[in-house]
Amino acid sequence: MGEFAALIHNENIKIYSRVRTWVMLFILGLMSALFPALIYFTSSSDPSGTGVWDNFQMTVSISFFLNTIFTVVIAADAVAGEFSWGTIKLLLIRPWSRSKILLSKYISLILFSLLSTAVLIAFGYTSSLIFARADSSTVTDLMSWSPAAYSFMDLFCRYIELFLTVALAFMVSSVFRASGLAIGLSLFIMFTKNIFATLFTPERFEWAKYLIFTHMDLRVYLFGETGPGGVSLGFSVAVLAAYYVLFLAVSWFVFSKRDVAA
C-alpha cells in the first residue's frame, strides 16, 4: 500500500511541477473571484437577484466550464504525455503493474479535479459574500430547496458531468496516445451534448434514452422526479455508470495490452 501511495505521489509531482497547472488554478481562482464583482458592478441598483447564493450560482455556472476544460487538459496528458515525452518505457520498467500505474494516474487526476473544484468554491463563495447586495436569493423562490442546498446540489451535478467528461478524455488519451484528440473530442462533446440531446430525444427515439448525452445533465432531477422520456434518476445514474465503467475498462484493456517496445 505504501508503494502504491508513493506511485500516486509521483504522479501528483508530475502534475504540480508544471507551471501550466498553477497557471490554470490561478486563472480559475481569479475568474471565480471576479464574476461576483462583475455582477455587482453591472447589475441594477435593485438588490433583488443579487444575493450571496444568486452570485455564487451564476459564478459556478460560468467558472465550471473553465474547471472542466482545465481538468480535461490534465486528463488528456496523463497517458498520452508519457508517450510524447518518451518516458513510458522508464515508467513500465519499474516494479509496478500496468494496472497500478494507470490507476495511480487516474487517482491523481481525480484529486486534481477535486482541488480545482475546491478552488472554484472557495474563491467564488468568498467573493459572493463580499459583493452580495442582499441576503435573500431569488433563484429558488419557486422550489423546495434552500438557496444553499440548491446551489451545492447544482454544483454536484456539474461535477458528475465533469467526472464523465474527464473519464472520456482519459480513455482517448490511453487508447490513441494523442492529447490533442482527447482534448478536442472531450470539448466537442461538452459543448454539443445539448444539441445531440435535443436532436435525439427519448420522446422521438426509444433508443435515445441509452445515449450518454441524454443523461449527463442530472440537474433536471432537481426540478422533478422524471427526466428525458420519463426516465427516473436511477435509470439515468445506471446509464452514466455503464458508460463510466466502459470508458475505464477500455482504458485499462488498451494500456495493459499495448506493446511499447517499438
Side-chain angles (χ1 to χ4, degrees):
M1 193 60 164
E3 293 181 355
F4 184 65
L7 189 56
I8 296 175
H9 177 68
N10 182 59
E11 292 301 326
N12 281 322
I13 290 176
K14 293 179 182 179
I15 294 176
Y16 298 106
S17 63
R18 306 187 70 175
V19 175
R20 75 170 186 189
T21 300
W22 297 103
V23 170
M24 289 189 295
L25 290 174
F26 174 78
I27 292 174
L28 182 61
L30 179 64
M31 297 304 292
S32 298
L34 285 179
F35 281 127
L38 182 63
I39 295 169
Y40 177 84
F41 289 112
T42 59
S43 62
S44 64
S45 59
D46 183 1
S48 63
T50 58
V52 173
W53 295 110
D54 294 291
N55 283 352
F56 180 70
Q57 188 174 351
M58 285 186 280
T59 298
V60 168
S61 65
I62 300 172
S63 295
F64 220 89
F65 280 106
L66 280 178
N67 189 19
T68 303
I69 291 171
F70 292 158
T71 310
V72 162
V73 170
I74 299 296
D77 200 47
V79 178
E82 299 284 358
F83 287 93
S84 299
W85 304 328
T87 56
I88 186 64
K89 295 180 182 179
L90 297 176
L91 189 62
L92 294 181
I93 62 175
R94 303 290 182 86
W96 299 312
S97 67
R98 292 194 180 193
S99 296
K100 287 185 177 181
I101 291 173
L102 192 66
L103 181 59
S104 68
K105 287 182 175 295
Y106 184 71
I107 291 177
S108 64
L109 171 62
I110 296 304
L111 291 176
F112 175 82
S113 72
L114 292 173
L115 173 62
S116 63
T117 302
V119 168
L120 186 156
I121 293 173
F123 281 87
Y125 181 69
T126 301
S127 184
S128 295
L129 282 175
I130 295 172
F131 293 102
R133 280 203 179 109
D135 294 330
S136 61
S137 177
T138 61
V139 175
T140 58
D141 284 346
L142 301 178
M143 301 171 57
S144 60
W145 298 92
S146 68
Y150 177 80
S151 295
F152 279 99
M153 285 303 298
D154 177 84
L155 181 68
F156 177 73
C157 291
R158 292 179 188 275
Y159 183 80
I160 295 298
E161 188 174 330
L162 176 151
F163 196 71
L164 289 163
T165 305
V166 167
L168 173 63
F170 188 75
M171 179 193 71
V172 176
S173 175
S174 302
V175 173
F176 297 102
R177 298 180 293 178
S179 58
L181 177 61
I183 295 173
L185 182 59
S186 299
L187 295 185
F188 173 77
I189 291 178
M190 186 176 75
F191 288 109
T192 61
K193 66 181 186 303
N194 292 331
I195 297 176
F196 283 106
T198 301
L199 293 176
F200 305 106
T201 62
E203 288 82 1
R204 295 176 59 190
F205 308 101
E206 180 68 19
W207 50 265
K209 66 181 181 181
Y210 299 104
L211 295 177
I212 189 173
F213 311 106
T214 307
H215 306 283
M216 288 188 73
D217 189 1
L218 294 177
R219 290 176 295 164
V220 296
Y221 294 103
L222 299 179
F223 299 92
E225 296 182 355
T226 58
V231 301
S232 65
L233 174 60
F235 183 87
S236 291
V237 171
V239 171
L240 293 179
Y243 276 99
Y244 174 73
V245 171
L246 176 63
F247 293 158
L248 293 190
V250 171
S251 301
W252 172 82
F253 179 80
V254 174
F255 187 77
S256 299
K257 302 300 181 181
R258 170 166 283 144
D259 181 12
V260 296

